[in-house]
């Protein structure tokens, strides 16, 4: 009966509160497994704990200050700098994959170590990732150490929300003196976006923002999304197309060319190589983090006005 259900819910939430307040350390827990018991819970509490927060976040970030598209090494670095410097800005990250991090979980091919050329070691020092100094470059013992650390820093910031398993499938535009200004993003669950061709119409959702930073990587099933859309909406004539690998040329070019491509859209990381016809650098990540820093700096100029 509904009354009993309500009473049980009240009881379990009281128990959960008292259970939660009696904090036991892990060391105290060890060796006590015979008497071990979790604090009780009602299933609906779990559902509500998740959905209430998610829908609150959707509401809060429907009007964001900055949207970052793509949570690879470049996007996460940009998010870190922005979130740290401007705790007053609402920063929303949209990541197509369930697992954020892009190509930065391994150092290259399937090898673990991650190389960063100097002076990008400054970024590792900033976020507290240890490395071996090899002279002109440094080596992090596992790329996942870098990626998990930057991600934990970014996700701990109160003014940043990441919506993963969600992709940007279009850009919001507004007429402006320069022709068009990018004013936000059109989103959908990635799994829904992947089925537009075999299901009936499944309309998307939107996020308004005066500034979008796109870091969706080089061309691929999802990559280079925003710059490809700029071509199809006739804001740029054509893509230069990423060129062959040259570490020295490529990394300098990516950092140098990190910029606002059309009003309201800053592009960073490997997505840039598709516009500019720049070389790829392969498995060296200094340009990704410093392009993220520069993209953040470009964005901050807009908000510092
Ligand atoms: O899932 C993508 C990845 O996590 C995400 N993404 C792509 N399209 C998206 C869309 N909506 C939302 N439409 C989208 N998310 O963007 C992220 C891109 O991460 P990445 O690691 O591919 O790009 P990056 O520019 O941050 O780093 C590039 C790393 C590379 S590639 C490379 C080479 O090929 O030579 N070398 C380096 C260092």
């Amino acid at each position: 009966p509904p009354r009993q259900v309500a009473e049980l819910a009240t009881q379990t939430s009281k128990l959960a509160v008292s259970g939660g307040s009696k904090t036991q350390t892990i060391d105290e827990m060890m060796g006590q497994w015979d008497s071990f018991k979790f604090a009780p819970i009602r299933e609906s509490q779990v559902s509500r704990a998740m959905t209430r927060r998610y829908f609150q976040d959707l509401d809060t970030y429907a009007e964001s200050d900055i949207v970052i598209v793509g949570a690879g090494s470049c996007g996460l670095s940009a998010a870190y700098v922005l979130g740290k410097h401007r705790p007053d800005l609402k920063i929303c990250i949209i990541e197509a994959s369930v697992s954020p991090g892009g190509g930065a979980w391994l150092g290259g091919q399937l090898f673990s170590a991650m190389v960063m050329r100097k002076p990008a070691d400054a970024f590792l020092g900033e976020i507290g990732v240890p490395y071996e100094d090899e002279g002109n470059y440094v080596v992090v013992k596992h790329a996942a150490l870098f990626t998990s650390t930057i991600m934990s820093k970014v996700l701990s910031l109160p003014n940043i929300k990441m919506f993963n398993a969600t992709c940007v499938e279009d850009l919001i535009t507004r007429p402006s003196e320069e022709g068009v200004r990018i004013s936000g993003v059109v989103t959908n669950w990635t799994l829904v976006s992947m089925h537009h061709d075999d299901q009936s119409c499944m309309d998307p959702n939107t996020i308004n923002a005066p500034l979008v930073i796109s870091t969706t990587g080089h061309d691929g099933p999802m990559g280079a999304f925003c710059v490809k859309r700029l071509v199809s909406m006739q804001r740029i004539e054509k893509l230069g197309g990423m060129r062959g690998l040259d570490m020295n040329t490529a990394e300098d070019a990516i950092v140098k060319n990190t910029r606002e491509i059309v009003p309201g859209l800053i592009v960073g990381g490997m997505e840039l190589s598709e516009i500019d016809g720049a070389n790829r650098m392969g498995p060296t990540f200094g340009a990704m983090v410093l392009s993220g820093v520069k993209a953040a700096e470009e964005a901050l100029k807009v908000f510092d006005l």
Side-chain angles (χ1 to χ4, degrees), residues 68-76 94-104 107 163 166-170 190 215-218 221-226 242 245 251 268-272 279-288:
I68 297 175
V69 191
S73 44
C74 183
L76 288 171
I94 306 292
E95 167 52 51
S97 177
V98 171
S99 49
F163 295 99
T166 305
C167 73
V168 167
E169 59 172 43
D170 209 341
T190 305
T215 62
T216 67
H218 57 66
M222 282 298 201
F225 175 80
C226 290
M242 184 178 71
L245 190 152
E251 287 211 280
M270 281 309 281
E271 185 168 359
L272 271 173
N279 295 96
R280 69 193 303 189
M281 72 291 298
T284 154
F285 285 79
M288 294 305 114

Side-chain angles (χ1 to χ4, degrees), residues 32 56 62 73-74 105-106 114 132 135 139 219 256:
Q32 305 295 321
Q56 180 60 56
S73 44
C74 183
W105 289 109
L106 288 162
M114 172 185 259
E132 285 174 69
V139 184
D219 201 3
K256 196 167 171 201

Side-chain angles (χ1 to χ4, degrees), residues 8-59:
L8 182 64
T10 318
Q11 268 173 21
T12 51
S13 65
K14 275 186 193 151
L15 281 166
V17 169
S18 64
S21 62
K22 190 172 135 286
T23 313
Q24 225 185 350
T25 67
I26 293 293
D27 281 351
E28 284 166 356
M29 237 181 260
M30 286 165 73
Q32 305 295 321
W33 301 115
D34 286 347
S35 57
F36 175 82
K37 216 170 174 354
F38 278 106
I41 200 155
R42 188 170 169 75
E43 288 75 5
S44 60
Q45 291 180 296
V46 177
S47 304
R48 285 174 175 156
M50 297 185 293
T51 52
R52 191 189 307 133
R53 285 168 178 80
Y54 200 89
F55 284 102
Q56 180 60 56
D57 286 337
L58 281 177
D59 185 276

Side-chain angles (χ1 to χ4, degrees), residues 23-301:
T23 313
Q24 225 185 350
T25 67
I26 293 293
D27 281 351
E28 284 166 356
M29 237 181 260
M30 286 165 73
Q32 305 295 321
W33 301 115
D34 286 347
S35 57
F36 175 82
K37 216 170 174 354
F38 278 106
I41 200 155
R42 188 170 169 75
E43 288 75 5
S44 60
Q45 291 180 296
V46 177
S47 304
R48 285 174 175 156
M50 297 185 293
T51 52
R52 191 189 307 133
R53 285 168 178 80
Y54 200 89
F55 284 102
Q56 180 60 56
D57 286 337
L58 281 177
D59 185 276
T60 304
Y61 288 88
E63 283 285 352
S64 292
D65 293 307
I66 301 174
V67 174
I68 297 175
V69 191
S73 44
C74 183
L76 288 171
S77 303
Y80 170 79
V81 175
L82 284 168
K84 182 184 156 190
H85 282 264
R86 290 294 301 265
D88 55 314
L89 295 180
K90 269 194 281 178
I91 300 157
C92 172
I93 308 175
I94 306 292
E95 167 52 51
S97 177
V98 171
S99 49
W105 289 109
L106 288 162
Q109 196 156 316
L110 296 179
F111 306 130
S112 315
M114 172 185 259
V115 172
M116 283 202 197
R117 291 165 60 206
K118 289 183 179 179
D121 54 321
F123 195 84
L124 297 175
E126 162 80 24
I127 61 169
V129 170
Y131 54 78
E132 285 174 69
D133 194 325
E134 296 275 5
N136 281 347
Y137 63 95
V138 299
V139 184
V140 180
K141 72 173 182 179
H142 202 302
L145 176 59
F146 164 78
T147 301
S148 56
T149 305
I150 179 81
M151 212 181 295
S152 73
K153 300 266 175 206
V154 163
L155 294 177
S156 308
L157 292 170
N159 57 328
I160 295 188
K161 169 68 187 180
M162 175 161 63
F163 295 99
N164 48 332
T166 305
C167 73
V168 167
E169 59 172 43
D170 209 341
L171 298 168
I172 298 179
T173 63
R174 293 276 186 272
S176 76
E177 279 171 15
E178 305 97 329
V180 140
R181 185 173 178 90
I182 306 304
S183 303
V185 294
V186 178
T187 63
N188 218 325
W189 308 114
T190 305
L191 290 175
V192 171
S193 279
M194 289 164 71
H195 285 277
H196 282 310
D197 292 340
D198 56 45
Q199 297 291 318
S200 58
C201 176
M202 299 178 288
D203 272 318
N205 196 12
T206 55
I207 298 177
N208 286 108
L211 202 56
V212 174
I213 300 179
S214 187
T215 62
T216 67
H218 57 66
D219 201 3
M222 282 298 201
F225 175 80
C226 290
V227 298
K228 286 193 283 189
R229 187 68 182 105
L230 290 182
V231 175
S232 60
M233 63 168 72
Q234 299 178 342
R235 295 314 305 160
I236 52 182
E237 200 187 324
K238 64 181 175 81
L239 295 181
M242 184 178 71
R243 304 291 158 84
L245 190 152
D246 178 345
M247 287 188 185
N248 286 294
T249 313
E251 287 211 280
D252 291 343
I254 290 291
V255 177
K256 196 167 171 201
N257 292 339
T258 299
R259 64 194 189 281
E260 193 173 27
I261 300 289
V262 299
L265 183 76
I266 293 168
V267 178
M270 281 309 281
E271 185 168 359
L272 271 173
S273 68
E274 300 290 354
I275 305 186
D276 297 329
N279 295 96
R280 69 193 303 189
M281 72 291 298
T284 154
F285 285 79
M288 294 305 114
V289 299
L290 294 186
S291 170
V293 174
K294 192 174 172 207
E297 195 183 324
E298 293 299 307
L300 288 174
K301 284 181 195 160

